[in-house]
Amino acid sequence: QKEVEQNSGPLSVPEGAIASLNCTYSDRVSQSFFWYRQYSGKSPELIMSIYSNGDKEDGRFTAQLNKASQYVSLLIRDSQPSDSATYLCAVKSVGNEKLTFGTGTRLTIIP
Amino acid sequence: DTEVTQTPKHLVMGMTNKKSLKCEQHMGHRAMYWYKQKAKKPPELMFVYSYEKLSINESVPSRFSPECPNSSLLNLHLHALQPEDSALYLCASSHVGLAGGHTYNEQFFGPGTRLTVL
């Protein structure tokens, strides 16, 4: 059973601070890793993808991947109230079109 | 065009009705997906089409019938649904295949259809 685990939260972070979201996965052949943001009542929006070990930065977002530890994280710098949403971690294995989602972490940015 | 569109946005149907959900993308993607999402749960994969052929059916009940008329369109035909089928139905699309040793498979979601079965 391939699993992707996230802390369901809620995670509360003061405005302007760094929000840190974590995800672990069980399938060692996983190759592609994604973070989606989902506002209440809306569809998931892809915000980051990462394929290699290390950090990948895009604006206020940084994704970190450690394949040896089977761990992927998302850092949000200078958190804004508009970042309040559920963040879904998703993992894909080679040769498989299926994404496996974690249960999501609900993030609340406190003004 | 980097958008996946879905119609209708909302649908209310009775258990004896037949209806269809529609999805369209013009990103040149050759993989298209149907997901079902219940409140406070992650999206749950239903079907995958790759090059207009059904490649994954996650043991979905036959009252849900997918169709991929061409590389840009994806339909989900609904018949004799149950109240527990009420959910947000999401369409997504992506590229297929390997590039440089990696599989670039970023999936982009449409806005979804909110389905209520009475």
Side-chain angles (χ1 to χ4, degrees):
Chain A
Q1 179 80 5
K2 299 175 184 177
E3 291 185 351
V4 177
E5 295 190 0
Q6 297 180 252
N7 187 325
S8 61
L11 175 65
S12 295
V13 173
E15 184 175 356
I18 296 175
S20 178
L21 305 164
N22 303 316
C23 173
T24 58
Y25 60 95
S26 62
D27 187 0
R28 286 196 167 273
V29 300
S30 298
Q31 276 210 336
S32 307
F33 306 87
F34 308 94
W35 283 100
Y36 287 87
R37 177 176 62 198
Q38 187 170 25
Y39 294 115
S40 181
K42 302 294 186 181
S43 64
E45 175 191 6
L46 180 66
I47 54 172
M48 289 290 283
S49 56
I50 187 166
Y51 307 100
S52 304
N53 279 329
D55 294 0
K56 178 182 177 182
E57 186 175 320
D58 184 0
R60 295 187 296 112
F61 298 99
T62 299
Q64 299 175 317
L65 176 60
N66 184 325
K67 289 188 178 181
S69 300
Q70 294 177 240
Y71 174 94
V72 58
S73 65
L74 180 71
L75 301 178
I76 307 175
R77 289 182 301 282
D78 188 24
S79 297
Q80 302 297 309
S82 59
D83 295 326
S84 297
T86 295
Y87 289 80
L88 295 161
C89 173
V91 173
K92 183 185 171 303
S93 301
V94 64
N96 187 341
E97 300 307 324
K98 183 177 176 179
L99 277 185
T100 301
F101 284 90
T103 53
T105 297
R106 187 155 58 93
L107 173 67
T108 300
I109 307 301
I110 303 168
Chain B
D1 189 350
T2 58
E3 194 177 48
V4 178
T5 58
Q6 289 186 246
T7 55
K9 290 182 180 173
H10 301 275
L11 179 62
V12 179
M13 60 186 291
M15 290 189 282
T16 58
N17 292 156
K18 285 185 181 181
K19 297 287 185 182
S20 296
L21 309 185
K22 297 185 182 300
C23 174
E24 188 168 6
Q25 58 88 14
H26 293 288
M27 293 182 277
H29 291 163
R30 300 305 296 275
M32 296 186 76
Y33 310 78
W34 281 116
Y35 288 87
K36 172 183 176 179
Q37 188 177 26
K38 301 281 260 184
K40 299 189 187 303
K41 297 288 187 183
E44 178 185 341
L45 183 66
M46 301 174 72
F47 303 103
V48 180
Y49 274 83
S50 181
Y51 297 105
E52 295 90 69
K53 295 276 192 290
L54 184 64
S55 59
I56 297 178
N57 176 342
E58 292 286 280
S59 303
V60 178
S62 60
R63 58 185 184 269
F64 296 91
S65 176
E67 178 194 20
C68 189
N70 60 54
S71 60
S72 300
L73 293 174
L74 186 67
N75 298 321
L76 186 63
H77 303 298
L78 314 173
H79 174 55
L81 295 192
Q82 304 297 310
E84 59 264 30
D85 296 321
S86 298
L88 180 66
Y89 286 83
L90 296 161
C91 174
S93 70
S94 74
H95 288 299
V96 178
L98 298 175
H102 294 277
T103 302
Y104 293 96
N105 190 33
E106 295 178 332
Q107 288 188 23
F108 296 92
F109 285 86
T113 293
R114 176 74 60 187
L115 174 67
T116 302
V117 182
L118 301 178

